[in-house]
Amino acid sequence: IDGNQTVTISAFPAGLATRTTTLTVTDASVPVIPGGIIDTNSTMPTITWNAMDNATRYAVWANYASGPTNGIINVSNISTNSYTPTTELGIGVYWIWVRGFTSSNAASAWSTPKMMRVKTPPSITGAANRTVTDPDFSVSWEALPGAAYYDVWVDQLSTSTSAYFRNSHVNGTSVDLTGFEPGKYGIWVRGFTARGDVGNWSPRTTITVAPTAQNVNVTAASVTSTPTLNWDAIPGMSTYAVWVNNLSTGTAAVVNQTGIATNSLELSSLPAGSYVAWIQGIDASNNKYAWSSPYRFEIGIAAKILTPASSQSSGTPLFSWTQVAGATRYELWVSSLNGAGRVIHETNVTATQFTPATSLGSGNYRMWVRAFDSSNASTGWSASYDFDLVDADNGQMKDALEKWTLEMLEARLVSRLSEAADETVEQVFAQPDLIEAINHSTGQEQRQQVTQLRGIAPGAFRDPSSSIVDSPSEDFLLAQGLVADPIVR
């Protein structure tokens, strides 16, 4: 770079006026950006040019090719022969110029303008190959710098159908796809600027629509009638397969039937017991899709309790249980094992779950559930289920309640022993009301302390998970004289 040079020429002809003219010679040395049109997927592409012998710095200038905005890039202190923008460029077409400067700030001419097309594709979020079970789903992508709207193209790969879905003007970064038939789909997205510049298509994302049976349930006229397994019809399915295991006997495939043309199946051959069922859809080409989630249910027996967990921190736990064929309502009973007695008694729960509106508080609890049909015939009570609610904020209250329970129980035992002049200690401890009180009112540690009064092993007392009573019958409690006692009330 030697800069523009200026020469002054003067003429002094005899007898004529002196004439002077100035000539400016423009420096012909300019940087060169190699290659043809620059196409890039990067929003921060590196621009490179040839180095100039005595250049100590360079300047880069860029304008939109199709818009009024100039100086999109305007940087003049670049020490090397390349530059990477520090902020993202939007998709679109740009003109780029470069020139060099010497240490004395002599400048070369601007380079020949170079066209650069930023064609960044959108990045579709989620796995590139995934399966959905719902025929209605959404596809989303990350916002693309410079994009004003997007073009979404979907092919149905399993049938080689091009443009199965197309929306060439999607505002925003997601699109809802509804009513898709079972099969495999290829999805592409590209962005457009408000000026009409277009980016490249995204890499293909493959989504397989493999719907599974939903809303599986069993119905029956009563809790003793033959049940029917039902599910929602799956769009695109011609037939179904049903698989049922008997959990009571541990027998697999007690029902294993294919070619079911409707979305229900009468389970006429199944005896009373606990079962789990799966449903599978099969299309007209005999393509088999995913099995449904397992569905547990009971025929002619009590429900099985599913939740809450045996120990949790929430004071309003979700109580849930298996469906009983023919049940129209359920009765839920929850008792405190720390002296508060019954804390929940719901007699008309029409779903297979219940959440209390107010907190039960920290403590130990036992629950039962039973089913009723439309004629008010019922199954037996479920097996009792014990659980703990642990609330760190109420830990001191829980400790105090346990201490009070133990003291009350010890006082009651001493009183009973003093009254039993004609009974041995072992006979007094064998009384069912005392055993039930101990089981309902204390934890394992407290039961161990109580047994020390009689000098027998803790194992002589029944574990809370196997209560003396199999159901929370008020008649039983009244008969044992325990309903009015503060220990179990």
Side-chain angles (χ1 to χ4, degrees), residues 6-69:
T6 301
V7 178
T8 300
I9 303 173
S10 299
F12 304 94
L16 298 173
T18 300
R19 303 293 298 270
T20 299
T21 186
T22 300
L23 298 177
T24 299
V25 180
T26 301
D27 189 350
S29 300
V30 295
V32 176
I33 302 173
I37 295 173
I38 301 172
D39 283 323
T40 178
N41 283 342
S42 174
T43 56
M44 300 173 68
T46 297
I47 303 164
T48 303
W49 54 90
N50 68 305
M52 304 186 72
D53 290 339
N54 60 339
T56 58
R57 64 184 178 90
Y58 298 90
V60 174
W61 180 282
N63 293 342
Y64 277 125
S66 56
T69 306

Side-chain angles (χ1 to χ4, degrees), residues 76-401:
S76 59
N77 196 29
I78 303 168
S79 59
T80 63
N81 63 317
S82 66
Y83 174 73
T84 301
T86 56
T87 58
E88 291 185 308
L89 299 177
I91 56 173
V93 180
Y94 300 83
W95 288 111
I96 302 172
W97 293 264
V98 181
R99 66 175 176 176
F101 290 86
T102 66
S103 57
S104 61
N105 281 331
S108 73
W110 286 103
S111 66
T112 301
K114 175 71 68 173
M115 178 178 286
M116 181 174 69
R117 296 183 295 204
V118 177
K119 307 181 76 172
T120 312
S123 178
I124 297 178
T125 57
N129 296 282
R130 61 184 186 269
T131 298
V132 298
T133 58
D134 194 326
D136 302 339
F137 58 97
S138 297
V139 174
S140 59
W141 51 90
E142 295 179 1
L144 188 62
Y149 60 93
Y150 299 89
D151 184 6
V152 178
W153 182 296
V154 182
D155 285 350
Q156 190 180 47
L157 304 178
S158 50
T159 60
S160 300
T161 303
S162 180
Y164 177 87
F165 172 91
R166 178 81 183 275
N167 187 337
S168 59
H169 200 290
V170 177
N171 295 314
T173 56
S174 66
V175 63
D176 293 329
L177 305 176
T178 59
F180 271 44
E181 300 170 354
K184 183 177 289 187
Y185 297 85
I187 301 174
W188 298 263
V189 180
R190 63 179 177 176
F192 279 82
T193 70
R195 300 177 300 276
D197 301 323
V198 60
N200 286 329
W201 289 105
S202 65
R204 187 181 80 181
T205 286
T206 301
I207 294 182
T208 300
V209 178
T212 59
Q214 303 294 318
N215 296 321
V216 181
N217 64 88
V218 288
T219 55
S222 70
V223 292
T224 58
S225 300
T226 299
T228 297
L229 182 67
N230 311 282
W231 58 93
D232 288 349
I234 306 175
M237 298 297 123
S238 297
T239 61
Y240 300 93
V242 170
W243 182 294
V244 180
N245 291 347
N246 187 325
L247 299 177
S248 298
T249 63
T251 305
V254 292
V255 175
N256 182 11
Q257 187 169 335
T258 60
I260 302 167
T262 63
N263 56 319
S264 65
L265 178 66
E266 186 178 274
L267 305 175
S268 56
S269 61
L270 299 184
S274 184
Y275 296 88
V276 59
W278 295 263
I279 295 94
Q280 181 186 53
I282 304 171
D283 66 20
S285 300
N286 204 36
N287 295 311
K288 298 178 180 179
Y289 292 86
W291 288 97
S292 66
S293 299
Y295 185 77
R296 289 191 58 179
F297 61 97
E298 319 301 325
I299 298 176
I301 63 173
K304 301 294 188 297
I305 294 172
L306 302 177
T307 64
S310 59
S311 181
Q312 65 178 68
S313 58
S314 173
T316 55
L318 172 67
F319 299 101
S320 66
W321 50 90
T322 57
Q323 184 186 8
V324 175
T328 57
R329 65 181 178 92
Y330 297 89
E331 181 179 4
L332 172 65
W333 184 306
V334 181
S335 291
S336 168
L337 301 183
N338 301 115
R342 185 174 67 190
V343 293
I344 294 177
H345 185 208
E346 296 289 336
T347 61
N348 192 33
V349 181
T350 56
T352 55
Q353 62 182 41
F354 176 82
T355 301
T358 58
S359 176
L360 298 180
S362 297
N364 312 109
Y365 296 89
R366 179 170 295 158
M367 69 173 287
W368 299 260
V369 67
R370 64 177 172 178
F372 289 82
D373 61 22
S374 57
S375 66
N376 278 332
S378 69
T379 63
W381 285 99
S382 67
S384 62
Y385 177 77
D386 290 3
F387 61 95
D388 300 330
L389 300 182
V390 181
D391 187 343
D393 294 336
N394 293 327
Q396 292 180 343
M397 182 181 298
K398 181 175 182 288
D399 292 342
L401 180 59

Side-chain angles (χ1 to χ4, degrees), residues 363-443:
N364 312 109
Y365 296 89
R366 179 170 295 158
M367 69 173 287
W368 299 260
V369 67
R370 64 177 172 178
F372 289 82
D373 61 22
S374 57
S375 66
N376 278 332
S378 69
T379 63
W381 285 99
S382 67
S384 62
Y385 177 77
D386 290 3
F387 61 95
D388 300 330
L389 300 182
V390 181
D391 187 343
D393 294 336
N394 293 327
Q396 292 180 343
M397 182 181 298
K398 181 175 182 288
D399 292 342
L401 180 59
E402 289 180 349
K403 183 176 183 295
W404 172 85
T405 300
L406 181 59
E407 291 173 350
M408 291 292 294
L409 184 57
E410 289 176 344
R412 180 174 177 179
L413 289 171
V414 171
S415 174
R416 179 64 67 86
L417 286 170
S418 65
E419 296 171 356
D422 298 328
E423 295 178 294
T424 66
V425 171
E426 296 299 320
Q427 288 173 329
V428 171
F429 272 85
Q431 296 296 317
D433 60 336
L434 283 179
I435 294 176
E436 183 64 14
I438 292 169
N439 282 333
H440 275 68
S441 306
T442 62

